[in-house]
């Protein structure tokens, strides 16, 4: 199983995430941005597309897979 984020940089600090994984990404995006901010990471903008084989609600940590993938993007 995998969760992929394809991202391209933006010239501003906006973070736009689209998901075809059946996940509502907004709360997870905000959580990742807050965690990175607390660790001193300067804000960067990206346009991202998430695709995942980790099924939401299946007890396989789909939200954790999304958060880690976003943090690394």
């Amino acid at each position: 199983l995998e969760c992929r984020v394809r991202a391209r940089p933006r010239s501003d600090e906006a973070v736009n995430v689209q998901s075809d994984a059946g996940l509502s990404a907004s709360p997870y995006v905000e959580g990742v941005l807050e965690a990175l901010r607390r660790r001193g990471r300067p804000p960067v903008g990206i346009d991202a597309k998430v695709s995942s084989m980790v099924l939401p609600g299946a007890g396989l940590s789909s939200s954790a897979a999304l958060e880690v993938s976003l943090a690394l993007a």
Side-chain angles (χ1 to χ4, degrees):
L1 299 176
E2 64 185 11
C3 181
R4 290 187 180 191
V5 176
R6 294 184 183 188
R8 62 184 170 132
R10 295 177 52 100
S11 60
D12 57 15
E13 295 179 2
V15 175
N16 298 312
V17 178
Q18 295 179 346
S19 173
D20 64 1
L23 294 170
S24 173
S26 293
Y28 305 110
V29 172
E30 294 302 320
V32 168
L33 293 175
E34 178 62 18
L36 292 173
R37 185 193 64 76
R38 287 182 184 181
R39 286 166 177 76
R41 168 94 187 264
V44 294
I46 62 170
D47 287 319
K49 173 87 174 178
V50 176
S51 60
S52 180
M53 296 175 63
V54 182
L55 302 174
L60 299 173
S61 297
S62 57
S63 58
L66 174 62
E67 290 170 332
V68 169
S69 297
L70 286 172
L72 294 174

